[in-house]
């Protein structure tokens, strides 16, 4: 019996900026995979007919001069939509690329795209949760994909197209194993809680040992080295709290404000969706949105025991 053909479109876009509601694509690249094999490529520069942010040029290197003679969004979108068809779209942090293509489709055809979205970044996190970085470069390194160019649409697309089939195999094996566990979900939840309790106990034990180590050094003890080379030493560091309003102007003057202050993105999101500020203020805050990402998580809520003994 012939093998069923599996077609997926691996793609990447470069843009004028990060907010898909205001920015546009300046480069699009896609590769058609058939059963994990590269069969066809499509790439194009795009004239966005608007300013390209310097911060974006610093990443992809595409200037307004580079796209001056390129086809416009209206001219190129029929070719893009024809190439991706109704096949699943594969991209790293797929919601970003998908959102830009979807907005362009709505602008030029009046219709959103309906392709299935496959996020290789999410798959990579699932298969290798222990890795510190889940970026495309880490993915390519993990699967020994060599690359000399980064942050250009076709280079990133080809790198992903070479790594994705192997990642997909591992992800599908793990997913199949996970599916087999669903009948055991009650038991697994109890097991999870036991492991969680054990971890908390171990963390408490580690803190107790660290307290002994600290006391040892405060009594004049010297550094200790284990047979494997790990060294136990002691450091004392003083730190201060600062009045932000008092030093804000100084930080701006020396160009250090962005490094000194980290924006609380979750707090801004809550402000935008709250009823405590005016629509005009919400619009100003929303206009500063940049990179779009997506996270999915499971929450465990402890029971409210306040009234158990009442």
């Amino acid at each position: 019996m012939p093998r069923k053909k599996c077609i997926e479109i691996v793609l990447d876009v470069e843009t004028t900026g990060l907010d898909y509601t205001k920015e546009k694509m300046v480069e699009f690249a896609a590769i058609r995979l058939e059963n994990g094999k590269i069969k066809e490529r499509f790439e194009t520069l795009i004239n966005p007919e608007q300013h390209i942010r310097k911060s974006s040029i610093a990443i992809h290197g595409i200037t307004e001069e580079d796209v001056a003679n390129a086809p416009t969004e209206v001219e190129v979108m029929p070719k893009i939509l024809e190439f991706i068809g109704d096949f699943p779209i594969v991209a790293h942090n797929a919601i970003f690329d998908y959102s830009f293509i979807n907005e362009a489709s709505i602008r030029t055809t009046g219709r959103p795209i309906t392709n299935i979205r496959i996020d290789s970044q999410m798959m990579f996190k699932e298969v290798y949760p222990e890795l510190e970085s889940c970026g495309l470069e880490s993915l390519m390194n993990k699967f020994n994909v060599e690359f000399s160019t980064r942050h250009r649409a076709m280079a990133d697309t080809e790198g992903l197209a070479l790594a994705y089939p192997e990642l997909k195999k591992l992800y599908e094996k793990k997913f199949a194993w996970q599916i087999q566990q669903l009948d055991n979900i009650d038991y697994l939840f109890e097991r999870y809680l036991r492991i969680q309790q054990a971890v908390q106990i171990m963390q408490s034990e580690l803190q107790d040992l660290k307290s002994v180590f600290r006391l040892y050094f405060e009594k004049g003890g010297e550094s200790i080295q284990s047979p494997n080379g790990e060294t136990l030493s002691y450091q004392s560091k003083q730190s201060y709290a600062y009045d932000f309003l008092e030093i804000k102007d100084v930080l701006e003057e020396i160009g250090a404000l962005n490094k000194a202050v980290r924006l609380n993105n979750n707090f801004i999101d809550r402000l935008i969706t709250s009823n405590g500020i005016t629509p005009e203020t919400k619009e100003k805050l929303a206009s500063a949105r940049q990179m779009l990402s997506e996270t999915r998580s499971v929450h465990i809520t402890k029971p409210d025991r306040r009234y158990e003994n009442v």
Side-chain angles (χ1 to χ4, degrees), residues 105 107 149 181 187 193 293:
S105 179
R107 281 193 296 266
T149 304
Q181 311 309 311
Y187 162 70
L193 292 175
S293 61

Side-chain angles (χ1 to χ4, degrees), residues 1 26 63 92 139 177-178 184 201 268 289 303 309:
M1 185 175 179
V26 295
T63 65
H92 214 62
L139 173 64
W177 174 82
Q178 290 173 331
N184 305 320
I201 291 171
I268 303 300
R289 283 173 169 161
N309 297 321

Side-chain angles (χ1 to χ4, degrees), residues 179-196:
I179 289 294
Q180 292 174 354
Q181 311 309 311
L182 294 184
D183 289 339
N184 305 320
I185 197 70
D186 292 339
Y187 162 70
L188 292 176
F189 183 42
E190 291 297 323
R191 185 176 173 184
Y192 175 90
L193 292 175
R194 292 200 304 271
I195 294 172
Q196 185 184 58

Side-chain angles (χ1 to χ4, degrees), residues 225-243:
Q225 190 171 58
S226 76
N228 294 327
E230 295 94 339
T231 301
L232 179 67
S233 58
Y234 182 65
Q235 292 180 337
S236 176
K237 182 180 178 181
Q238 294 180 334
S239 60
Y240 296 90
Y242 292 89
D243 185 323

Side-chain angles (χ1 to χ4, degrees), residues 260-272:
V261 180
R262 183 175 181 180
L263 192 63
N264 187 330
N265 293 311
N266 290 331
F267 174 70
I268 303 300
D269 280 340
R270 290 196 298 272
L271 272 181
I272 292 173

Side-chain angles (χ1 to χ4, degrees), residues 30-309:
I31 287 177
R32 177 187 173 108
L33 288 183
E34 293 186 11
N35 296 331
K37 303 295 183 183
I38 294 176
K39 292 297 182 180
E40 190 177 355
R41 292 174 170 83
F42 174 77
E43 65 178 316
T44 181
L45 288 170
I46 304 170
N47 184 347
E49 300 180 293
Q50 69 181 54
H51 177 64
I52 302 177
R53 293 180 182 273
K54 290 182 179 179
S55 56
S56 296
I57 295 174
I59 295 171
H60 51 57
I62 301 172
T63 65
E64 292 173 19
E65 291 75 17
D66 292 331
V67 297
N69 297 318
T72 64
E73 182 178 83
V74 172
E75 294 169 332
V76 81
M77 277 306 295
K79 296 179 181 178
I80 290 176
L81 295 175
E82 180 183 7
F83 191 87
I84 67 176
D86 59 357
F87 301 114
I89 287 174
V90 181
H92 214 62
N93 188 27
I95 193 170
F96 177 80
D97 306 81
Y98 193 97
S99 297
F100 273 91
I101 298 167
N102 188 57
E103 284 293 308
S105 179
I106 292 172
R107 281 193 296 266
T108 57
T109 70
R111 299 185 302 276
I113 59 175
T114 57
N115 306 62
I116 293 172
R117 187 175 73 230
I118 299 174
D119 189 349
S120 56
Q121 186 177 63
M122 180 277 294
M123 294 169 65
F124 192 39
K125 287 180 181 178
E126 186 69 26
V127 174
Y128 295 104
E130 76 281 4
L131 295 181
E132 290 185 8
S133 172
C134 58
L136 181 57
E137 189 169 326
S138 295
L139 173 64
M140 290 192 284
N141 284 330
K142 188 67 179 178
F143 290 97
N144 299 315
V145 175
E146 295 184 1
F147 53 92
S148 56
T149 304
R150 281 298 324 277
H151 300 303
R152 286 300 299 265
M154 182 51 80
D156 285 356
T157 298
E158 186 151 9
L160 179 55
L162 292 171
Y164 170 71
E166 295 303 313
L167 174 65
K168 181 181 178 182
K169 288 178 187 176
L170 293 174
Y171 179 79
E172 287 181 340
K173 288 179 181 178
K174 183 170 184 177
F175 183 72
W177 174 82
Q178 290 173 331
I179 289 294
Q180 292 174 354
Q181 311 309 311
L182 294 184
D183 289 339
N184 305 320
I185 197 70
D186 292 339
Y187 162 70
L188 292 176
F189 183 42
E190 291 297 323
R191 185 176 173 184
Y192 175 90
L193 292 175
R194 292 200 304 271
I195 294 172
Q196 185 184 58
Q197 184 180 31
V199 169
Q200 290 171 344
I201 291 171
M202 294 301 292
Q203 287 175 335
S204 297
E205 289 294 310
L206 288 173
Q207 286 303 122
D208 280 347
L209 291 173
K210 285 185 176 180
S211 295
V212 175
F213 296 155
R214 184 171 61 250
L215 183 60
Y216 163 78
F217 286 114
E218 289 175 353
K219 293 292 186 180
E222 299 292 332
S223 296
I224 301 172
Q225 190 171 58
S226 76
N228 294 327
E230 295 94 339
T231 301
L232 179 67
S233 58
Y234 182 65
Q235 292 180 337
S236 176
K237 182 180 178 181
Q238 294 180 334
S239 60
Y240 296 90
Y242 292 89
D243 185 323
F244 174 68
L245 294 179
E246 217 175 289
I247 63 173
K248 179 175 178 290
D249 292 342
V250 177
L251 292 172
E252 282 185 318
E253 184 180 330
I254 62 176
L257 183 61
N258 289 340
K259 288 185 178 180
V261 180
R262 183 175 181 180
L263 192 63
N264 187 330
N265 293 311
N266 290 331
F267 174 70
I268 303 300
D269 280 340
R270 290 196 298 272
L271 272 181
I272 292 173
T273 57
S274 73
N275 296 321
I277 58 176
T278 65
E280 293 77 12
T281 303
K282 289 184 180 183
E283 175 59 28
K284 287 180 181 178
L285 291 174
S287 67
R289 283 173 169 161
Q290 296 185 336
M291 177 66 77
L292 175 68
S293 61
E294 185 177 41
T295 57
R296 302 174 186 180
S297 59
V298 173
H299 296 277
I300 296 175
T301 304
K302 293 184 180 296
D304 188 346
R305 301 187 184 280
R306 287 177 297 173
Y307 306 109
E308 283 188 357
N309 297 321

